[in-house]
Amino acid sequence: MLALFLGCLTLLTPVASATLALLDPLRRRSAGRGNKVKVTSAQGAAQLKPGIPECFVLTGTRSDAWNTLPNETIGTIFLVRNNDGALTAFQAICPHQGCDVSYLPAECRFFCPCHKANFQADGSRVKGDSGPVCRDLDALEVEVRDGEVWVDYKKFRTGLDRKEEA
Amino acid sequence: MTRFFDWFDDRTGYRQVLAETLHRNITGGPRWRYSVGRALLFVFFLQMVTGLALWASYSPSAHTAWESVFHIQYHVSGGWFLRGLHYYGNQALLILLALYLMMAIVARAYRAPREIMWWLSIGFLLVVTVISITGELLPWDEKNVAAAGVRAEIVSLTPGAGEQLKHLLVGGSEFGHLSLTRFFALHAGFLPAIALLILLVYANLYRRFGPATTSEPTDPGTAPYWPNQAVRDAIVCAAVLAIIMGFTLAHGMGPEGGAPLYAPYDPARTFPAPRPPWYFLFLYKFLNLCEHLGRAGSVVGAIVVPGLVVGFFLLAPWIGRTRSGHMLIFSVFSLMAGLIVGLTLLVLREDSSDRVFVQNWKLAQEQSARAQLLAANLPMGPAGGAELLRNDSLTMGRHLFSRKCSSCHRYGGEDGLGRTPSDSPTAPDLKGFADRAWLKGLMEPDKIVSPHYFGGTNFKDGDMVGFVKDTVAEYDDQQKKDLETALIALSAEAKLRSQAALDAADAARIAAGAELLAGTSGSLGCVDCHKFRDEGDSSGGPDLTGYGSKKWLMDMIRNPGHEVYYKTDPKKYNMPAFGGQGSLSERDIELLAEWLRGEWYEAP
């Protein structure tokens, strides 16, 4: 009995410690949280032509395990000025399986090359030509501070028909 | 001598081991088909040996992975060859496994008493598949990070704990250092350990039960392994090795070959041509087709169907008890094989006939070559390969042009990245801007109004176009010659690297041309509207001093509305000011200007 009990304890202890370490990422639910990032200045925003989305690379401080990296690329977004003057921002990640979406200015549409999905300039899926995508491009909250454009950068879960933070 | 071997045998019992392995009898005699299993073992051995050697030089972190793989390719002795063996060895392993399982099905090797061996084979296939997938991420290049991102999303589809599973794999919510460490631990640690364990158990069971054969042996136990089966095994393994080496060398002999190495991952640059490797293309297409059935299609295609298929084959020992059961198993397997081949060919055909995809694939290859060239010739600091690309005007210029300029301008009719927009340009084509040919075309009456120059702009009804159409068109021979000289001088202002030799040779003519431009000789009248050095002013058009030089271009991009350029007359032009607080940083503007001037790094 003692052999069995002691033996199990001895063998399982390192396994338990290893399991705890391996399950560590489940503890962290950080980077998906909102992150207010400056997109462009007032001058840059003024250059946006109504109805034509433009791609912006967002930089900020990113943490990756043991590194804190200042001035790193956090992600890319599209910013478009609507006809009524308001600004809309889109996440440049396809809501289907996470591939990079690009904007084709000549064809006035967003395009994802993974499964050939097309979205209109307002982020909505092109009827009949959006492949297996389940929802429109994810919009991000835009805030204008003294003319500067800021966005609440978030990532969302893919493959769902509703927008849910990752 | 015999005394030494006796001494050794007393202490290790090696003679018995040799007897059991080499002189063991094979049921029904030696057969070529038994060599497939040995070839599998050999390739696994190849992967382990090459893998261990690669491990000695590989560093799994987001800042060192690509760089260490580059180091293996370019600096480690025979590193490119080693990596090639490992890369193609992986594919050989998967193909041989598929072949082995097919042979097992034909021989009905899932029947008693070999059920557990059959399950172990399937388990081995699954383990090797995951080893393969985890290995692909390790170079941390743009193609494979993009692919891993998609796969992580597919994993998150698992009902119940999908998101948690994804977090465990990725090491958090984002890809980064911990993704590499985890994938590497799986690839080089956990999974090979499981695979070896499976092999060990399987080998023991094989020794116990022997190979399954479709017919009863007529004369059991007469043929030993050595030499006849051994020679077959050796030949087959050598052939497999030759094929793997063949592919490695065919990929390219030397650091640029062996195995592909795509450009380092950079979140600021999107990867334009995402696809899994060819042996998984069928899964990609299958999942894509399932998703057309609706929202639940993803779960069905990614989890339910594969689960059912694996479950079906795991149940083969019971299903295959009857003859019809065996036919069912064989048919399902054949159907799957056919589907796999069919779907793979379908994707290959679709992609090769998709012009956009082909262009994007070419772009990815160009970026791969460029990244390697830069890393091989320029010092690579702690920020690694991605930093080299970020400072490369050829790479960044194209991307910046495509993102910021190609909505109006063109570069050789394209958007800078090789893609052709479908609408007509509303600004001049900037390929070869300010070189002699470009300027010559500008001054031709039928060309200046074409979309290649001012045709798509408001200037098509402006003074310059009018001047070219009316005055220049009527030039006599002397004036034509003067114009040519003046344009050579104007082009020399740019000091283009591509024209350096020409400009040096034409120094005298350039001096004469400068006088023509300034109006101190001839009657061209440029300074009636333009400024050139100390003559004229910019009341009618841009300053021609230093035309097309890096400073001129940067100032122009920064603020085309400056009074020395087009002034702030929004009716005249639509180009925004990208500098100052605009949407391009100083560095971006510099990279763009360098690219437009063809001034990127070139290998010695």
Side-chain angles (χ1 to χ4, degrees), chain B residues 100-119 121 202 206 209-214 316-317 320 326 329:
Chain B
Y100 190 79
L101 284 170
M102 182 183 80
M103 290 168 62
I105 287 179
V106 167
R108 303 176 71 180
Y110 44 76
R111 285 174 304 165
R114 295 186 182 80
E115 297 97 323
I116 291 188
M117 287 170 74
W118 171 248
W119 293 333
S121 317
Y202 189 91
Y206 187 85
F209 297 117
T213 48
T214 43
H326 168 66
I329 294 173

Side-chain angles (χ1 to χ4, degrees), chain A residues 22 25-26 29 41 43-44 47 54 64 66-67 96-97 99-100 106-107 114-116 132 155 157-158 161, chain B residues 63 150 153 163-164 167-168 174 177 182 271 274-275 284 287 291 295 354 404 421 423 577 579 581-582:
Chain A
L22 287 173
L26 294 180
R29 309 286 286 152
S41 63
Q43 182 190 342
Q47 289 163 7
E54 266 201 43
D64 181 6
W66 49 84
N67 281 138
H96 172 232
Q97 264 176 16
C99 295
D100 297 319
E107 284 132 78
C114 283
H115 305 93
K116 305 198 197 349
K155 287 200 174 170
R157 290 182 60 185
T158 59
D161 59 357
Chain B
H63 299 151
V150 170
E153 295 303 319
E163 272 296 296
Q164 281 86 337
H167 273 71
L168 280 179
E174 302 266 310
H177 289 319
R182 286 175 168 249
F271 185 72
R275 285 292 180 271
Y284 158 78
L287 191 57
E291 283 167 337
R295 211 168 34 87
D354 180 351
K404 290 291 182 192
D423 63 351
Q581 290 287 316

Side-chain angles (χ1 to χ4, degrees), chain B residues 17-324:
Chain B
V17 173
L18 274 182
E20 278 177 23
T21 45
L22 294 187
H23 302 298
R24 177 169 45 88
N25 288 320
I26 297 180
T27 330
R31 292 234 161 83
W32 282 102
R33 61 173 178 263
Y34 297 153
S35 302
V36 176
R38 274 45 167 262
L40 253 175
L41 270 179
F42 164 69
V43 179
F44 191 78
F45 162 79
L46 174 90
Q47 291 299 89
M48 291 220 55
V49 168
T50 52
L52 282 170
L54 288 168
W55 194 342
S57 295
Y58 173 70
S59 176
S61 90
H63 299 151
T64 54
W66 188 89
E67 291 70 20
S68 61
V69 175
F70 166 79
H71 181 79
I72 291 170
Q73 283 278 135
Y74 279 74
H75 298 141
V76 172
S77 311
W80 61 271
F81 184 72
L82 182 73
R83 190 166 168 255
L85 287 182
H86 199 75
Y87 179 81
Y88 286 106
N90 160 59
Q91 300 184 17
L93 191 59
L94 290 168
I95 293 172
L96 280 172
L97 258 173
L99 185 63
Y100 190 79
L101 284 170
M102 182 183 80
M103 290 168 62
I105 287 179
V106 167
R108 303 176 71 180
Y110 44 76
R111 285 174 304 165
R114 295 186 182 80
E115 297 97 323
I116 291 188
M117 287 170 74
W118 171 248
W119 293 333
L120 287 175
S121 317
I122 295 180
F124 191 73
L125 174 67
L126 294 174
V127 169
V128 166
T129 305
V130 184
I131 292 180
S132 181
I133 292 175
T134 48
E136 284 163 23
L137 177 68
L138 299 182
W140 202 243
D141 56 87
E142 54 178 9
K143 173 178 188 275
N144 287 301
V145 175
V150 170
R151 284 168 182 157
E153 295 303 319
I154 294 175
V155 162
S156 74
L157 287 173
T158 315
E163 272 296 296
Q164 281 86 337
L165 213 56
K166 176 185 150 196
H167 273 71
L168 280 179
L169 262 179
V170 171
S173 49
E174 302 266 310
F175 269 82
H177 289 319
L178 293 177
S179 319
L180 269 173
T181 51
R182 286 175 168 249
F183 271 57
F184 190 58
L186 279 171
H187 179 81
F190 286 120
L191 296 171
I194 297 175
L196 276 172
L197 193 63
I198 293 178
L199 281 178
L200 204 64
V201 177
Y202 189 91
N204 274 309
L205 292 176
Y206 187 85
R207 175 172 303 177
R208 192 184 172 89
F209 297 117
T213 48
T214 43
S215 53
E216 287 308 309
T218 48
D219 197 357
T222 51
Y225 175 78
W226 186 273
N228 290 323
Q229 184 63 46
V231 91
R232 283 172 170 78
D233 288 352
I235 289 173
V236 172
C237 288
V240 169
L241 176 66
I243 294 173
I244 294 174
M245 276 174 56
F247 274 94
T248 302
L249 296 171
H251 194 105
M253 298 213 261
E256 293 98 19
L261 179 59
Y262 297 95
Y265 169 65
D266 186 346
R269 233 181 28 245
T270 59
F271 185 72
R275 285 292 180 271
W278 67 265
Y279 43 89
F280 289 140
L281 279 177
F282 73 94
L283 281 170
Y284 158 78
K285 190 65 188 166
F286 177 69
L287 191 57
N288 198 15
L289 288 172
C290 283
E291 283 167 337
H292 281 293
L293 298 173
R295 211 168 34 87
S298 324
V299 180
V300 167
I303 292 158
V304 174
V305 171
L308 284 176
V309 167
V310 172
F312 174 81
F313 284 107
L314 283 174
L315 291 174
W318 290 277
I319 300 173
R321 277 200 187 147
T322 61
R323 184 161 184 77
S324 49

